[in-house]
Amino acid sequence: MCYPAPFSARPLFFLALTLLTVAVAAGPVLGQAQETARSDGGMVSSQQWIASQAGADVLAAGGNAVDAAIATGFALAVTHPTAGNIGGGGFMVIRFPNGQSTTIDFREKAPLASHPEMWLDENGEYSFQVHHLSHLAVGVPGTVAGFDKAHRLYGVAPWADLVEPSVDLANDGFELSEALAGSIARFASGRGAQYQASVAAFTNNGSPYSAGETWRQPDLGRTLERIRDDRSDGFYRGTTARLIAAEMRRGGGLITEEDLDQYEARERTPIKGTYRGYDVISMPPPSSGGVAIVTALNILEEYDLTSMGHNSAQYLHHVAEAMRRAFRDRAMYLADADFRDVPIQRLTGKDYAAWLRRDLDPERASISHPSDVDQPYESPETTHYSVVDADGMAVSVTYTLESGYGSGIVVPGGGFLLNNEMGDFNAAPGLTNASGLIGTEPNLARPQQRMLSSMSPSILAHDGDLVAVIGSPGGRTIINTTLQLILNMVDFDMDIEEAVAAPRMHHQWLPDRIRLEADAVSPDVVLALEQLGHAVQVGGRQGSANAIGVSARTGVRIGVGDPRSADAGAAGSSGPGGR
Ligand code: DON
């Protein structure tokens, strides 16, 4: 099958809410991905409409939300190569129709031969290039094991049916959008150019693909066939494992067949918080996201944000101060809880938030102290998608290769990109400096430890009812994008389209400044923030929150592809799982 494009290039972002509302009122068509779609049954929203459609088709055939999430994830590995992956890792948060919830952690792990000083050369000099963009930057991938585990625990459809759509997309190809054709051409002539297999996978015999051409990925198709036939053994053992280990040996990486064989995804207890009567369900460590979001919400619960006004100077000041405090704790305490003690109960408690509020001055910005600790680099390339099925099971997934196109290394003969997630470990013991390196203990590379993440797939509920499935890419901005989606819905009564479209801000403790999306606020508001003592930077876009909201009145699911992403789209589903 070869999918044609269903809608033309997106209107420019910040084409205001009114236009979005008109698009919705025009009425989406079930069974075809849309920028915004509505359904009484199932819904999938992702950064690539083709993958949303693959998930919606699984729902229509009787699969549940976990099945659809797995199919969508495999399809994104073919159609959204900057971040969709089988060579990376991520997190899945699941809320069942009875209100219970769980999570699957499939974050990459450090190879067995890792050590905290692995990015220092013989002179003890730290190398950013080696830490972030080399074979030593590759963590043991987790995605296939995570999907396998989620399916064994909670899926109902046959595994092969979930992988088959991606096999077809890779073997038969799909039509390249303008955005994707441009993106893979830039990668193949840029960072990918040094690796023959990367050039082969992302060009047409060395020439760039154009928009409208069909892109086929036969090596990736064969890898996906092995996964279809042998589940995670098709990746972690046999041919695929040998291909990965051979590329690691060739390029000086650490991952061996033993590392792959030993990789395990973990089911973990979610982070749970409450905010003005809403329940927030999110990801525990090795994500920092759930803890940081709940900390910030607990701080903000004390203030009347509604009467301050959305994105007013007073509102932005209070939110920035909450973010500042949550991010300081992130740097101080958070890491893989299998290896370090993380005081989760304390950090997510209401009493602790009261303590953090004690020095929050409504009239004056606090000051972040760089001497406490500094922050590591994090790339803004990841992808988030959301699924709800007809029974109300909700699945929130964020997964990543870390940088766009990860390490840039396509496994020869395997056709898939490897992550550069080891860059999320701290650089080296004691190496903390003003340019943003960090050397604190908890998040140093150790054999089989998982690197700290900001990915925050989350679910919002109220009085036992599902309200929204949310999350975003964007490095550390992920936490704040997800936080603001919650504030937009709870404090400002926005529906999901408004909440996703609304301009976003970011503060991460250090550097000590507020970042606002371009055109987010008027110059008066920027001035007022500066008068409160904030440094303010305006420009750019933040995140890609491909979300689903559920109408409290009718139960209708509203899927929204974030207008900031060219190919994002939502697909509603009818049929058994999406009734
Ligand atoms: O796990 C993390 O927090 C980062 N590796 C995520 C990178 C990311 O979000 C890129 N996003 N667009």
Side-chain angles (χ1 to χ4, degrees), residues 427-446:
L431 183 57
T432 299
N433 68 26
S435 66
L437 293 178
I438 186 168
T440 49
E441 246 293 299
N443 187 41
L444 290 171
R446 298 180 184 86

Side-chain angles (χ1 to χ4, degrees), residues 83 91 107 288 330 378-383 398 400-404 421 424 451-455 472-476 478:
F91 304 125
R107 181 71 161 164
S288 56
R330 176 191 188 276
E378 243 180 60
S379 137
E381 278 297 345
T382 293
T383 192
T398 314
T400 189
L401 289 164
E402 160 56 4
S403 300
E421 216 73 56
D424 279 356
M451 55 297 284
L452 184 63
S453 172
S454 296
M455 293 186 288
S472 178
R476 267 167 283 165
I478 293 171

